[in-house]
């Protein structure tokens, strides 16, 4: 049966929401509006979240979400994802998870690392542009900023033709204020590492103005700066993002839906670190 195909061993079902994860997500979800007319019963939020995770992990199209799994229809899960993203659920969940890591002294603020990855866009839409590897096809970029261990601090989406350096300051501004210990919340690393794509003196001054030391490779200088021994963590985090099949190709025309998947994936990666380090 189809159920047996998808519901096998526990470790092969990453879309099943654990009790521990649900206890973090549930208080952040908006209160459902009362039904004005009778009809089908509302799909429980936890089941809908399982359906969203199923699409994120497998990359399946919404309309092909197997009904046998009991997660509701693909359109129901799509609407929940859009509504929860608009309500800021993933941003708030990310802060909750980062606060747990900071309380356990497991956030490495000594340095942050920035990089981007290109993904093909199946359809043209907002925040897509000519691919740098094939100008005839659209593409998008995932811009990622991580701490010294590779824990994602900020993620954004742009067109594939957007220069990396233009997202340097927006990503720094997107780092949330993280509480967790006595004192003021923190949102600034000590040092920022970047490759040659971020080599621009004006941006270096802007980073310095934020109280952050920029350590960015310069163009025209021979390799061997030693940044690779620290920058590999962001490459690993990008691989973690691409482990979610829905993020390997941008299938959504609407940019907010793809950003919702990015935000949810950011929370899942951060949650793995919470489970391992806390």
């Amino acid at each position: 049966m189809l159920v047996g195909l998808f519901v096998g061993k526990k470790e092969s079902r990453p879309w099943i929401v654990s009790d521990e994860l649900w206890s973090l997500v549930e208080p952040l979800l908006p209160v459902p509006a009362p039904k004005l007319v009778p009809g089908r019963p509302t799909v429980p939020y936890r089941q809908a979240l399982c359906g969203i995770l199923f699409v994120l992990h497998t990359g399946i199209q919404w309309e092909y979400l197997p009904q046998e799994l009991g997660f509701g229809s693909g359109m129901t899960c799509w609407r929940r994802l859009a509504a929860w993203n608009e309500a800021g659920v993933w941003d708030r969940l990310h802060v909750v998870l980062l606060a747990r890591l900071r309380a356990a002294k497991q956030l490495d603020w000594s340095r942050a690392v920035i990089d981007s990855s290109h993904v093909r866009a199946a359809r043209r839409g907002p925040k897509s542009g000519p691919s740098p590897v094939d100008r005839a096809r659209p593409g998008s970029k995932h811009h990622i900023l991580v701490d010294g261990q590779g824990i994602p601090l900020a993620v954004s989406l742009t067109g594939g033709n957007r220069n990396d350096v233009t997202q340097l300051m927006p990503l720094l501004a997107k780092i949330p204020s993280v509480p967790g210990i006595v004192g003021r919340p923190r949102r600034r690393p000590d040092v920022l590492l970047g490759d040659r794509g971020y080599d621009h003196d004006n941006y270096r001054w802007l980073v310095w103005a934020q109280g952050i030391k920029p350590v960015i490779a310069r163009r025209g200088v021979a390799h061997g700066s030693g940044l690779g021994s620290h920058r590999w963590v962001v490459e690993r985090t990008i691989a973690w993002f691409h482990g979610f099949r829905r993020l390997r190709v941008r299938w959504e025309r609407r940019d907010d839906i793809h950003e919702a998947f990015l935000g949810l994936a950011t929370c899942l990666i951060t949650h793995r670190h919470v489970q391992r380090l806390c």
Side-chain angles (χ1 to χ4, degrees), residues 108-123:
D108 185 0
W109 293 103
S110 65
R111 60 178 176 266
V113 192
I114 189 172
D115 206 350
S116 70
S117 66
H118 178 269
V119 294
R120 180 173 66 87
R123 304 175 182 178

Side-chain angles (χ1 to χ4, degrees), residues 197-212:
Y198 301 92
D199 178 24
H200 199 292
D201 286 339
N202 288 345
Y203 284 93
R204 282 189 175 88
W205 284 112
L206 291 174
V207 173
W208 270 116
Q210 296 284 333
I212 305 170

